[in-house]
Amino acid sequence: MIHDIDKTSRLIATAEELFDRHGYIATGMDRLTEAADMSSRTLYKHAGSKTQLMAAVLAHRGQRFMHRIEVESVDALFAALEEWLQVEGQRGCLFLRVQGETGGSTPEISEAIKAHKTAFATRVQEIVATDLGQENPVLANQVLVLCEGAIHAAIYRGLDALTAARSAAAILVARARS
Amino acid sequence: MIHDIDKTSRLIATAEELFDRHGYIATGMDRLTEAADMSSRTLYKHAGSKTQLMAAVLAHRGQRFMHRIEVESVDALFAALEEWLQVEGQRGCLFLRVQGETGGSTPEISEAIKAHKTAFATRVQEIVATDLGQENPVLANQVLVLCEGAIHAAIYRGLDALTAARSAAAILVARARS
DNA sequence: GCAAATGTAAAACGTTCGTTTTACATATAT
DNA sequence: ATATATGTAAAACGAACGTTTTACATTTGC
């Protein structure tokens, strides 16, 4: 059964990369079997279906992302985000992208998106509260928008977008602290 | 020839809506012929191909968007953005979405995206310069990130994302002015 | 050492894709 | 009035889609 975990995680990792680089729908199962170096029979035994595979990719991605942003200050949040973008590439949020590609017509996936974005918003609230020493929902919303903006502006402006977001957040935090 | 313009623009408008609501790749040509109420023969005479139709949709969308943000202050920019999202819906940027769906493998489309985002960034620079009375590239980058953030956070947070972005921008502009 | 499990390679499933073609109807211009 | 342009409805194209199946090889547990 150890092999199962190996094969399954290799499959999910391969799927994540292909979905990210070429799009969810544009990535065919044939391409995936080739890239993951396994037969379609094995692939379907482990993944179930393309939709389930997409959901599995989102689950793993979300977990990895949330783990990355276990920080205690807004500035550290943007530092973590910069690392993330540097390591994972700057092709936008895989959750919002799958939402756009499916139009929200797949409940299984829509729920994964909603859960992730809710968790992310909550996490930002907590980081802001930790940084300030008290809750500040207005600032948290601003920081959330800056994160989302950095991630998406980075698609065409690169990591400069992150620098801009980070400096803006610093100003907003300093103002909120006084 | 008047009929051509009519049919072509009806086709492009229909395509824009379907692409926006269901995704570019997931929207089939059959669905488009039905929604635009024309035969596939006519559709192809006017659109050329699906790729050309996607490019045409982007061109029209970009023109309409840029026209909407012909404003002279940062605050007015976010007001215009709010109107845009209210009228057009909150499903993310159609340019970044097509980029994600195609993975940048269609030169015709990649260039349309690049051109639009460059124009947008330039426009934001101009608005900031007009508002402040002088250029301020750093602030302009921050405002750009806030716009992109508002557009994408609005997908799951609605127009509250815009309120957050707008208030953040107001603080940054006030600070830059002093 | 044998049976169950798990793998592969590859063909086949029916469906849908983007696109073209066929056959025919309807306006319009001279 | 007739030729040209432009439309429709619908069948057909080959290719690609997600998925299943067939036939066979390899590992693994008892």
Side-chain angles (χ1 to χ4, degrees):
Chain A
M1 297 285 174
I2 285 167
H3 295 280
D4 276 26
I5 295 169
D6 213 39
K7 281 238 165 69
T8 300
S9 59
R10 192 176 85 221
L11 172 57
I12 291 175
T14 306
E16 183 180 339
E17 166 141 26
L18 291 190
F19 290 162
D20 186 24
R21 295 200 110 89
H22 309 293
Y24 290 87
I25 300 185
T27 299
M29 298 304 259
D30 287 11
R31 208 174 188 179
L32 245 156
T33 60
E34 195 185 357
D37 196 36
M38 60 181 68
S39 67
S40 65
R41 203 179 196 274
T42 305
L43 188 148
Y44 273 94
K45 183 155 287 183
H46 289 277
S49 68
K50 189 179 184 180
T51 299
Q52 286 175 266
L53 180 56
M54 285 163 62
V57 165
L58 291 178
H60 277 249
R61 175 98 169 184
Q63 207 173 338
R64 196 147 38 86
F65 178 78
M66 291 302 285
H67 188 262
R68 274 252 182 196
I69 59 166
E70 283 172 355
V71 296
E72 294 188 326
S73 76
V74 171
D75 197 60
L77 171 61
F78 285 96
L81 215 55
E82 181 161 6
E83 258 189 74
W84 172 268
L85 291 178
Q86 215 147 24
V87 172
E88 307 273 347
Q90 300 131 40
R91 281 168 229 100
C93 171
L94 273 182
F95 288 84
L96 295 189
R97 282 173 59 191
V98 77
Q99 167 89 325
E101 288 207 38
T102 61
S105 69
T106 322
E108 198 171 352
I109 285 172
S110 293
E111 277 158 36
I113 298 163
K114 192 176 173 180
H116 173 73
K117 287 303 186 182
T118 300
F120 178 52
T122 302
R123 195 72 256 283
V124 170
Q125 292 261 20
E126 291 169 2
I127 292 168
V128 165
T130 302
D131 197 340
L132 287 188
Q134 62 180 337
E135 296 206 348
N136 189 332
V138 171
L139 176 60
N141 277 337
Q142 294 171 339
V143 171
L144 181 78
V145 168
L146 281 171
C147 287
E148 211 69 72
I151 290 168
H152 289 94
I155 297 172
Y156 57 99
R157 305 225 102 198
L159 294 179
D160 286 0
L162 223 135
T163 306
R166 191 174 187 171
S167 64
I171 293 170
L172 297 174
V173 169
R175 213 194 94 112
R177 215 191 294 278
S178 71
Chain B
M1 298 284 171
I2 285 168
H3 295 280
D4 276 26
I5 296 170
D6 212 40
K7 281 236 164 71
T8 299
S9 59
R10 192 176 86 222
L11 172 58
I12 291 176
T14 306
E16 183 180 340
E17 167 141 29
L18 290 189
F19 290 161
D20 187 23
R21 296 200 108 90
H22 308 293
Y24 290 87
I25 300 185
T27 300
M29 298 304 259
D30 287 13
R31 208 174 189 180
L32 244 155
T33 60
E34 194 184 358
D37 197 36
M38 60 181 68
S39 68
S40 65
R41 201 181 198 273
T42 306
L43 187 148
Y44 274 93
K45 183 155 288 183
H46 288 280
S49 68
K50 190 180 184 182
T51 299
Q52 285 176 267
L53 180 56
M54 286 163 62
V57 163
L58 291 178
H60 277 251
R61 176 98 168 183
Q63 206 173 341
R64 195 147 39 86
F65 178 77
M66 292 301 285
H67 188 262
R68 274 253 181 193
I69 59 165
E70 282 172 357
V71 296
E72 296 188 327
S73 76
V74 171
D75 197 62
L77 171 60
F78 285 95
L81 214 54
E82 181 160 7
E83 259 189 73
W84 172 268
L85 290 179
Q86 214 147 25
V87 172
E88 307 274 345
Q90 299 131 41
R91 280 168 231 101
C93 171
L94 273 182
F95 288 83
L96 295 188
R97 282 174 60 192
V98 79
Q99 167 88 326
E101 290 207 37
T102 61
S105 68
T106 324
E108 199 172 352
I109 285 172
S110 293
E111 277 158 36
I113 297 163
K114 190 175 175 181
H116 173 74
K117 288 303 187 183
T118 300
F120 179 52
T122 301
R123 196 71 257 284
V124 169
Q125 293 261 22
E126 291 169 0
I127 292 168
V128 166
T130 302
D131 198 339
L132 288 188
Q134 62 181 336
E135 296 205 349
N136 188 334
V138 172
L139 177 60
N141 278 338
Q142 293 171 338
V143 170
L144 181 77
V145 168
L146 282 170
C147 287
E148 213 68 73
I151 289 169
H152 289 94
I155 297 172
Y156 57 98
R157 305 226 100 198
L159 295 179
D160 286 0
L162 223 133
T163 305
R166 192 175 185 169
S167 64
I171 292 169
L172 298 174
V173 169
R175 213 193 95 111
R177 214 190 293 278
S178 69

